[in-house]
Amino acid sequence: MQQSDPFWASPVDHLAKVRPDVPTFYACPAVLQSVAREFIDGFDGLVTYAVKANADPLVLANLSAAGVTAFDVASPYEIDLVRANCPHAALHYHNPVRSRSEIAAGVAAGVASWSVDCDVELSKLLDILPPHSEIAVRFKMSVSGAAYDFGEKFGAPADMAVHLLRRVAAAGHRASMTFHPGTQCADPVAWVSYILGAADIAQRAGVHIQRLNVGGGFPAWRNGQRPALGAIFEAIKSTAKAAFPYRVDLVCEPGRAMVAEAFSLAVQVKSRRAGALYLNDGTYGALAELPVVRGFDRVHVVAPDGTPKTGPTTTFAAFGPTCDSLDRLSDRLTLPCSTAEEDYLIFDGFGAYSVVTATRFNGYGASDAVLVQNL
Ligand SMILES: *Cc1c(COP(=O)(O)O)cnc(C)c1O
């Protein structure tokens, strides 16, 4: 993402004057910082940011300016990115599968916390980590409420988690626990179940855990509204207090909910044929995750001069710019009938899993970033 310097008033202000013909992200630092403060003020513990949701330096710098002091990273590349932009931040390396060389890179960078979900990965960590490192055992339960479930890929079942916790403690490291309830999880009960599960596992293991990381998964826009995070924060706090007979420090690592609202994406209609639009971005670009997680209820159309398109709507098939036949949105878009070549489609709530997933397949996928005062 290339970034413009001056602030524009709004996406439409920029579109109408510049008429960009590459996909353009509109980033609002004020929104980034206010959401970060909502987490810091509302969550009863340490707020870390999961860098994979949007690794743009602009995001890291604004979250840091708002008071985020720790970042969840998944690779040496993300470690370097955070170090370059926020040199004093704490790093939590919570991708539970790492090569030995990746572990060594994390140690060299001073990673403060590691996660683990199986014996072989723990053995690697025990071989390489310095004494008294924090190792958080990641466990999984079957809990519903998320858009898709992370437990399919990572997380130890309860019995294995008991065993891993004992191994961590026996090796003299600091034992913690972590889980991820699944992304776009709007139901506080998912966190309640997981926290009760964590307390049960720790008790069975006979291990006093130091910290409990309640993951990401906090919801961004869902079913036509921005879910309130307060009920989730409250449920986490009161459940953790009641479930553990001793004090456990809480940590969270939101990705999506931290950045989604701070960006809108404008894509241009390159061509219109009967019932189909050919866009300048698609599933190999920033629209990759659109069919999986997002609703299609947050797109609006403006003419090249910035005038909103209104009036009766119809549905369009939507194709991306590459010559690949898979480059097509899975759902049809409902847009004004008058949508035409050179119009812009503006997708709101587009800061998470968009900039970071774009590829340069077929020569497309480059985008500009423009700073705006308001979205
Ligand atoms: C992806 C990820 C997150 C962030 O998840 P969101 O659903 O975007 O909040 C947090 N922690 C870990 C370990 C992750 O892999």
Side-chain angles (χ1 to χ4, degrees):
M1 205 164 65
Q2 301 238 313
Q3 196 181 310
S4 75
D5 262 338
F7 269 85
W8 294 76
S10 68
V12 167
D13 177 33
H14 176 266
L15 286 173
K17 293 195 179 101
V18 175
R19 303 201 177 185
D21 68 354
V22 293
T24 303
F25 279 99
Y26 293 98
C28 185
V31 174
L32 268 176
Q33 295 207 22
S34 85
V35 175
R37 280 192 296 270
E38 189 182 348
F39 269 96
I40 292 168
D41 295 346
F43 181 77
D44 185 35
L46 176 69
V47 176
T48 73
Y49 168 61
V51 172
K52 80 171 187 288
N54 187 330
D56 198 273
L58 155 91
V59 171
L60 302 180
N62 275 284
L63 295 183
S64 170
V68 174
T69 57
F71 293 81
D72 167 43
V73 292
S75 59
Y77 182 84
E78 287 187 351
I79 289 175
D80 291 346
L81 259 181
V82 173
R83 278 278 171 264
N85 290 281
C86 316
H88 306 297
L91 299 166
H92 293 187
Y93 198 154
H94 283 176
N95 179 348
V97 178
R98 311 166 194 87
S99 68
R100 285 170 194 270
S101 63
E102 288 171 340
I103 297 170
V107 170
V111 161
S113 178
W114 307 77
S115 71
V116 73
D117 68 353
C118 74
D119 261 323
V120 275
E121 292 302 317
L122 179 55
S123 296
K124 283 192 212 169
L125 288 179
L126 297 185
D127 284 348
I128 303 172
L129 297 193
H132 309 299
S133 296
E134 179 182 51
I135 302 179
V137 172
R138 178 157 167 184
F139 70 105
K140 68 175 168 190
M141 299 171 60
S142 54
V143 163
S144 62
Y148 58 90
D149 184 1
F150 278 32
E152 284 175 16
K153 182 162 179 185
F154 294 128
D159 289 347
M160 174 57 76
V162 167
H163 162 75
L164 293 171
L165 268 182
R166 287 183 179 146
R167 264 190 87 193
V168 170
H173 290 294
R174 288 179 289 131
S176 290
M177 293 184 75
T178 185
F179 60 85
H180 192 302
T183 204
Q184 273 292 55
C185 184
D187 188 354
V189 171
W191 278 274
V192 170
S193 308
Y194 262 105
I195 294 167
L196 296 175
D200 184 53
I201 289 167
Q203 202 236 329
R204 281 172 57 202
V207 171
H208 270 219
I209 62 168
Q210 306 229 331
R211 296 204 282 190
L212 176 62
N213 185 322
V214 300
F218 299 89
W221 194 270
R222 239 179 109 126
N223 303 329
Q225 56 183 328
R226 179 161 186 257
L229 298 173
I232 297 174
F233 293 155
E234 194 44 49
I236 290 171
K237 178 178 170 179
S238 59
T239 309
K241 271 223 172 78
F244 289 89
Y246 51 92
R247 184 193 155 88
V248 173
D249 290 330
L250 296 173
V251 183
C252 67
E253 48 189 20
R256 179 187 306 282
M258 193 73 104
V259 291
E261 288 304 307
F263 288 66
S264 292
L265 171 68
V267 307
Q268 194 171 32
V269 178
K270 297 177 76 175
S271 183
R272 175 178 171 173
R273 287 183 204 169
L277 299 177
Y278 291 74
L279 307 175
N280 69 353
D281 201 14
T283 58
Y284 292 100
L287 301 181
E289 205 212 30
L290 183 67
V292 190
V293 168
R294 287 194 190 83
F296 288 81
D297 57 337
R298 300 187 76 194
V299 51
H300 53 112
V301 182
V302 299
D305 68 358
T307 315
K309 289 261 169 120
T310 51
T313 58
T314 184
T315 65
F316 293 95
F319 295 100
T322 71
C323 295
D324 188 294
S325 52
L326 295 178
D327 192 4
R328 155 184 200 154
L329 298 187
S330 58
D331 290 19
R332 294 174 73 86
L333 295 176
T334 301
L335 302 172
C337 301
S338 61
T339 303
E341 183 186 332
E342 297 198 356
D343 285 353
Y344 293 102
L345 273 49
I346 303 177
F347 293 88
D348 288 331
F350 235 72
Y353 306 109
S354 50
V355 182
V356 281
T357 57
T359 74
R360 294 303 308 269
F361 179 41
N362 228 180
Y364 291 99
S367 59
D368 278 343
V370 172
L371 299 175
V372 289
Q373 266 142 7
N374 293 292
L375 282 172

